[in-house]
Amino acid sequence: MKKTVLLFLFISAISLAKPAEKPSANPAIGLIMTGEFFFDGQVQFQFHIKNYGEEALTNIYVTNTVPSSSIDIYSNLIPPTISIASLAPGEEDTLTFYGFKQAFCFDSSQAMVHATTASNTEITDLSDDDSYYENDYTTSVYFPVDYGFQEGIYQDLNGNNIVDVGDAVNYTYSIFSNQPDLYSINDDNAIIANPSGTGTFQTTGVHYLTNEDVTLGYVYNTSYFTNDTNFCNPGIQFPFFDSSNCNGCPNPSNANIVTKLTSLLPNAISGNVKFNANNDNCVTGVNYSGRRITTTSGSYSYTSYTNSSGNYSILIPNTGTYSTSANENLNANLTSNPSSVSVVSSGENIDYNNTNFCLSATTNYTDLSVTLIPVGQARPGFATSYIIRLSNYGTTSLNGTVVLTYENGKMTFNSASPTINTSTANTLTWNYSNLLPYQHQSINLTFTVAAPPTVNTGDTLAFTLVGNPIAGDNVPANNTFTLSQPVFSSYDPNDKTVLEGSSITLPQASRYLHYLTRFQNTGTANATTVVLKETLDAKLDWTTFEPMSSSHSYNVQIRNGNELTVTYSNIDLAFSSANEPASHGYFAYRIKPKNTVVVGDSFSSDAKIYFDYNPFIQTNTVTTTINALSTSDFEKNNFAVYPNPTSSFVTISSELSVDATFEISDINGKLLVNGKVENNSEIDISQLQSGFYLISINSDYQKQTFKIIKQ
């Protein structure tokens, strides 16, 4: 029976074949030759010889067939022999002869056994690979002997005693091989530390949990290793076997590695926070976004933030009594009803919903805050984007205007959404109305930066953003936001920015610093998950951390007081070559320095950006230093003049206690109004005609001049 070349068909053929019967022959000799490949390209043969006749045979030896099979035949005996002296009827020899042959991946060979009968005649038999009574070629195929094990172990990475985003599954990959080939490991759901190795080797990997993982309670991996250098069958893929097989676990993705995160799924505390805008105990309250919610049990503390709908959810362990509150770092002009809610956690996957809070004002309090966020980098000759964020942190509804002043000689305004209401050569004005307490509005706008030689690398673009009204605002300092944006020649799609720049004064350290992380998917496929990780500087007060704006929906977690993780689950972020505009994202937050900082202290920040389970991308590091106040350099930009444009009055504010005077003149230099600067006091200019005017402020150190527009 002719056998196939392929090993598995060959095995199947053997299993289906009828056993060969012993032929009736006298005298008779039979030869079985087996072959096995070694990794160095050699086949080793073993010869089994049997006298299955009825008379003794002598001078038994093995040769190649003709034409030659190129088998080198050797003797196992010491001293070696060239023949077996004799074999009695039925006697079998399996030790005397062996052979080698150089081959490439596959071999088909045959040998011949010789013997002398009692009548001094020679008899022969062609070899077979498994029978003394048949004559067929011995086929040998090179197959590597490889297998691999993968073991996943859940780790409470953030040490908060629950399974949540910020935790991880650590993997160990072990490959065992009978040859020194080069192997590479692939895993669709993990970051592998050293994915390539030779022969038998071991490496590790990690999977950071997503919201989906936490909800499912399992992590699914499809993983395999590839033989990259097997000269016969390069690219063979071998699946990993699970060292800790999860028997009975669900496997919707048909993965070969399934890791159960915990024996009990965590419970959750969730609810809604509203502002009591209509004095009806929040029956018609306003959703309070960005409110910090904290639940504690003994030494454990868990924190989340309300989303744009005022909703929050906090995962908690399966045991313990938890006190949940919306009071942490709450404005002193607000009270919470209830003050806290107590929940006893038991069982698993239970959502203690309807843990709601109604925040009410104890006094009328006005606090408008404006921020300008540079979503894109500024490059000469290219368009770039910005977002204006208008926030009502007070307790009364607000109406007014927001005015952006820009350098029209360096930039051209393109568009805005919502559209501007009025504009001048270098200002854009939007009206806003009914901005409810603890609500936010955004304005998206684009400019084109002028090309060289007008704007060059290393230049800066100056912006001033003013939110009106300022009169009566309890925190007028955050009604004005200045941005000095550097111009770059090349574009880094993944970077970190602190909007206040590299230097602030000590009085400014009592205010918020604004941080922005930008990211872009420059890969070859859409990103399902994006994770931002950074360690907040120890001199920053994490209790004041507040998410501000983001390109996509996200989840925030802070562990150990200063380790920040921002997770974008199911973001489906396009890759740049397919859809460049949709490949970008950003996350912005604000945070205050600790009240113990002094002159000379610095704050640094960078971020690690993970796209799915690729190695992270490290951003640049931004550093802000508190500088001394004793030189005129720190009075530069110390004064602010607002509102601008204005119809009736202007206010001069200063962060420093400095004696100064002001003069208001027309564009021809004619003095119209003068006096002493009284911090945050209004100066009436309602009698002046509409047009441009100059305000000069003189202090002991310097003179500053501002241009204002009287409407």
Side-chain angles (χ1 to χ4, degrees):
M1 181 179 64
K2 191 71 178 175
K3 300 180 180 66
T4 180
V5 169
L6 295 178
L7 182 61
F8 71 94
L9 293 179
F10 164 59
I11 295 172
S12 300
I14 291 177
S15 64
L16 296 174
K18 293 181 179 180
E21 296 182 358
K22 176 182 177 180
S24 57
N26 189 15
I29 190 76
L31 175 63
I32 294 176
M33 182 176 73
T34 60
E36 180 182 1
F37 255 104
F38 282 74
F39 61 81
D40 58 358
Q42 283 192 344
V43 183
Q44 180 177 355
F45 298 96
Q46 294 292 332
F47 299 100
H48 304 261
I49 304 168
K50 183 176 182 179
N51 179 353
Y52 64 86
E54 298 177 354
E55 66 175 69
L57 299 174
T58 59
N59 193 29
I60 301 106
Y61 60 95
V62 178
T63 65
N64 281 287
T65 57
V66 179
S68 174
S69 294
S70 301
I71 300 174
D72 296 324
I73 300 172
Y74 302 94
S75 171
N76 275 312
L77 301 182
I78 300 174
T81 183
I82 61 174
S83 65
I84 302 170
S86 64
L87 286 176
E91 186 177 0
E92 186 175 12
D93 180 282
T94 61
L95 297 175
T96 301
F97 299 113
Y98 71 95
F100 283 103
K101 179 183 179 181
Q102 291 295 128
F104 183 77
C105 302
F106 169 81
D107 180 70
S108 182
S109 297
Q110 195 170 39
M112 178 180 287
V113 63
H114 303 255
T116 301
T117 66
S119 60
N120 202 31
T121 60
E122 184 181 73
I123 60 174
T124 61
D125 181 60
L126 289 172
S127 66
D128 191 88
D129 58 358
D130 68 345
S131 173
Y132 287 119
Y133 317 123
E134 294 188 6
N135 301 317
D136 205 352
Y137 282 86
T138 297
T139 58
S140 303
V141 181
Y142 178 72
F143 277 106
V145 180
D146 306 318
Y147 58 96
F149 291 100
Q150 180 176 344
E151 182 174 14
I153 299 176
Y154 161 76
Q155 182 181 6
D156 185 10
L157 195 62
N158 54 21
N160 61 1
N161 204 32
I162 59 172
V163 176
D164 61 355
V165 174
D167 293 344
V169 175
N170 293 324
Y171 293 102
T172 300
Y173 305 85
S174 301
I175 294 177
F176 302 90
S177 174
N178 68 339
Q179 58 274 316
D181 290 339
L182 178 65
Y183 296 89
S184 59
I185 299 173
N186 293 274
D187 192 325
D188 70 345
N189 210 16
I191 305 167
I192 304 172
N194 297 292
S196 298
T198 302
T200 297
F201 77 100
Q202 190 175 82
T203 189
T204 60
V206 63
H207 167 89
Y208 295 104
L209 299 191
T210 66
N211 285 331
E212 183 180 13
D213 297 329
V214 174
T215 301
L216 293 172
Y218 301 89
V219 174
Y220 303 99
N221 298 71
T222 300
S223 58
Y224 61 88
F225 61 99
T226 304
N227 189 322
D228 296 327
T229 57
N230 183 314
F231 61 89
C232 296
N233 298 288
I236 296 178
Q237 294 182 355
F238 303 89
F240 280 99
F241 297 98
D242 202 329
S243 297
S244 303
N245 190 32
C246 192
N247 294 318
C249 291
N251 191 1
S253 61
N254 198 29
N256 59 311
I257 306 295
V258 179
T259 305
K260 189 175 183 180
L261 300 178
T262 178
S263 58
L264 289 176
L265 294 175
N267 294 327
I269 295 174
S270 63
N272 178 266
V273 181
K274 293 186 184 299
F275 175 72
N276 191 19
N278 299 312
N279 200 28
D280 57 3
N281 199 29
C282 292
V283 173
T284 58
V286 177
N287 291 327
Y288 194 134
S289 64
R291 174 84 290 261
R292 183 186 183 92
I293 307 296
T294 299
T295 188
T296 59
S297 177
S299 61
Y300 292 107
S301 179
Y302 310 89
T303 295
S304 183
Y305 296 84
T306 56
N307 61 18
S308 59
S309 300
N311 298 323
Y312 73 93
S313 180
I314 307 175
L315 294 174
I316 59 172
N318 308 92
T319 59
T321 301
Y322 295 86
S323 178
T324 306
S325 170
N327 284 324
E328 186 169 357
N329 206 30
L330 187 66
N331 188 307
N333 297 278
L334 297 175
T335 60
S336 173
N337 181 29
S339 178
S340 63
V341 177
S342 181
V343 166
V344 177
S345 180
S346 63
E348 70 167 326
N349 203 26
I350 298 172
D351 188 353
Y352 299 100
N353 203 344
N354 299 319
T355 308
N356 302 324
F357 298 93
C358 177
L359 304 184
S360 301
T362 58
T363 61
N364 286 336
Y365 182 85
T366 302
D367 184 11
L368 176 68
S369 176
V370 294
T371 309
L372 178 64
I373 301 173
V375 177
Q377 286 185 334
R379 292 184 295 160
F382 289 87
T384 187
S385 302
Y386 301 84
I387 290 180
I388 294 174
R389 188 175 190 260
L390 195 63
S391 303
N392 184 354
Y393 291 112
T395 60
T396 61
S397 177
L398 296 177
N399 306 290
T401 62
V402 56
V403 182
L404 178 66
T405 302
Y406 65 97
E407 295 185 273
N408 60 312
K410 296 181 178 180
M411 309 180 72
T412 301
F413 170 68
N414 295 335
S415 63
S417 177
T419 58
I420 57 175
N421 294 102
T422 60
S423 65
T424 67
N426 68 333
T427 65
L428 307 172
T429 301
W430 294 264
N431 300 330
Y432 69 91
S433 62
N434 198 31
L435 182 62
L436 299 177
Y438 305 99
Q439 285 196 330
H440 313 277
Q441 290 183 8
S442 294
I443 301 172
N444 298 277
L445 58 159
T446 62
F447 292 87
T448 295
V449 181
T454 304
V455 176
N456 302 284
T457 300
D459 290 348
T460 57
L461 304 175
F463 299 86
T464 300
L465 182 66
V466 178
N468 299 307
I470 296 177
D473 196 295
N474 288 74
V475 190
N478 62 16
N479 287 57
T480 302
F481 189 92
T482 60
L483 175 66
S484 182
Q485 185 183 22
V487 177
F488 295 94
S489 59
S490 60
Y491 179 69
D492 185 353
N494 302 285
D495 73 341
K496 192 68 182 282
T497 305
V498 55
L499 303 188
E500 282 68 22
S502 61
S503 175
I504 61 174
T505 65
L506 189 59
Q508 287 176 312
S510 64
R511 296 164 57 180
Y512 283 97
L513 296 175
H514 299 77
Y515 290 92
L516 171 68
T517 300
R518 291 179 283 219
F519 55 88
Q520 182 185 21
N521 178 11
T522 58
T524 58
N526 285 12
T528 302
T529 303
V530 176
V531 177
L532 312 180
K533 287 181 173 289
E534 70 170 280
T535 300
L536 304 179
D537 194 287
K539 294 185 180 67
L540 296 176
D541 183 0
W542 79 282
T543 64
T544 66
F545 173 91
E546 181 185 336
M548 290 189 61
S549 182
S550 180
S551 56
H552 302 79
S553 298
Y554 60 92
N555 172 275
V556 169
Q557 179 170 310
I558 298 177
R559 67 183 182 93
N560 297 332
N562 66 343
E563 295 179 16
L564 172 68
T565 299
V566 183
T567 303
Y568 295 89
S569 299
N570 302 315
I571 187 174
D572 195 30
L573 188 67
F575 58 105
S576 55
S577 60
N579 188 342
E580 204 283 335
S583 67
H584 295 270
Y586 73 91
F587 175 74
Y589 66 87
R590 68 178 193 168
I591 188 170
K592 287 184 177 181
K594 291 181 177 178
N595 57 15
T596 55
V597 297
V598 296
V599 171
D601 282 345
S602 295
F603 323 107
S604 295
S605 178
D606 58 26
K608 295 180 176 66
I609 306 173
Y610 298 84
F611 294 93
D612 289 327
Y613 299 101
N614 297 300
F616 67 80
I617 297 173
Q618 181 84 46
T619 70
N620 58 298
T621 300
V622 292
T623 301
T624 300
T625 302
I626 302 176
N627 287 317
L629 306 177
S630 58
T631 68
S632 60
D633 289 339
F634 299 108
E635 282 198 19
K636 186 177 181 180
N637 299 324
N638 170 54
F639 294 101
V641 177
Y642 52 82
N644 189 12
T646 181
S647 59
S648 57
F649 66 90
V650 293
T651 297
I652 300 174
S653 67
S654 172
E655 294 180 357
L656 308 178
S657 298
V658 178
D659 290 332
T661 59
F662 72 89
E663 295 179 346
I664 301 178
S665 57
D666 62 20
I667 58 175
N668 297 315
K670 181 180 179 181
L671 179 63
L672 302 174
V673 182
N674 64 349
K676 183 178 180 180
V677 173
E678 301 289 345
N679 198 23
N680 295 325
S681 294
E682 296 180 0
I683 302 170
D684 187 2
I685 59 171
S686 59
Q687 303 304 315
L688 299 182
Q689 295 182 355
S690 299
F692 289 95
Y693 295 90
L694 301 177
I695 296 183
S696 297
I697 302 173
N698 297 277
S699 68
D700 293 338
Y701 296 102
Q702 66 172 357
K703 178 179 179 180
Q704 287 182 261
T705 300
F706 299 84
K707 182 169 66 176
I708 62 172
I709 302 171
K710 169 65 167 61
Q711 294 177 328

